[in-house]
Amino acid sequence: MTASIRLLLADDQALVRGALAALLSLEPDLTVVAEVSRGDEVVPAALRTHPDVALLDVEMPGLDGVAATVALREALPGCQVLVVTTFGRPGYLRRAMEAGANGFVVKDTPARQLADAVRRVHAGLRVVDPTLAAETLATGASPLTERETEVLRTARGGGTVAELAATLHLSEGTVRNHLSSAIGKTGARNRADAVRVAEANGWLLG
């Protein structure tokens, strides 16, 4: 009899995590050996339980799914990573794959397809949601510089230019320049619209 594929689940929503565990545990060749609710709990749990495949959410406290993927691949290179997320954003897919993930699917994937994705990732194959893959190719990489991304990420919470400058330890003029550049690159009408566009494309993860 073939040995079970050992799974680690990481999702900050207990109901979602529990549902995934219940569905995947119904498969005779899949065994959930660890469940965590934070990204910074992934590596410690993996080192304790030695999973074959880790299913990671993108947006988690502690570490996001992309950072957790990098840390896990360094700590346990033999563990494959399948990102399972509510947020099917092109930028998330690109960054997850660059971080070393083997697959990227959205959470509304039917249970049978998700189980099959786990098996394929475990076999060393890449599994990517086809619609999202097409969107990612069409969208391309983020046009924002690292500093523009940081300024927009900070601007998500609102605040005046002076408040943003104080938070980022930059001059108000520098913040205005970065905001203006980001607005132009995203084709947005204003700062709030630039944040919305960048968020929708998954460019503000971090």
Side-chain angles (χ1 to χ4, degrees):
M1 183 177 175
T2 306
S4 263
I5 299 171
R6 298 166 60 83
L7 307 179
L8 179 151
L9 306 182
D11 195 301
D12 62 335
Q13 297 181 29
L15 284 175
V16 173
R17 192 173 65 251
L20 283 175
L23 287 170
L24 293 171
S25 294
L26 293 174
E27 299 292 325
D29 59 337
L30 305 181
T31 303
V32 177
V33 296
E35 296 180 45
V36 299
S37 59
R38 296 173 54 89
D40 51 7
E41 295 173 345
V42 169
V43 169
L47 291 175
R48 285 194 309 271
T49 59
H50 297 281
D52 299 307
V53 178
L55 284 76
L56 308 183
D57 188 20
V58 172
E59 297 192 351
M60 293 185 288
L63 283 178
D64 63 58
V66 171
T69 296
V70 172
L72 181 57
R73 297 294 282 164
E74 289 177 356
L76 208 66
C79 181
Q80 310 294 342
V81 176
L82 176 61
V83 175
V84 184
T85 180
T86 305
F87 303 101
R89 293 170 178 161
Y92 285 4
L93 169 58
R94 184 180 297 276
R95 289 190 59 189
M97 291 310 204
E98 288 172 351
N102 306 81
F104 193 105
V105 297
V106 291
K107 286 179 183 172
D108 60 3
T109 300
R112 190 172 295 278
Q113 287 183 30
L114 180 58
D116 186 52
V118 169
R119 296 183 187 104
R120 290 167 65 193
V121 163
H122 179 248
L125 303 174
R126 284 193 178 274
V127 180
V128 178
D129 180 273
T131 302
L132 195 56
E135 289 176 2
T136 300
L137 288 172
T139 303
S142 171
L144 304 171
T145 65
E146 188 174 336
R147 184 63 87 180
E148 288 162 0
T149 301
E150 186 182 13
V151 170
L152 275 191
R153 193 182 292 137
T154 305
R156 281 189 295 194
T160 64
V161 168
E163 289 168 339
L164 296 179
T167 300
L168 294 165
H169 306 291
L170 298 171
S171 71
E172 292 182 29
T174 298
V175 169
R176 285 195 185 91
N177 288 341
H178 286 313
L179 285 173
S180 177
S181 178
I183 289 168
K185 287 180 179 179
T186 56
R189 299 183 302 277
N190 51 41
R191 181 176 86 180
D193 194 36
V195 169
R196 181 191 62 76
V197 171
E199 186 86 66
N201 283 295
W203 294 337
L204 301 186
L205 184 64

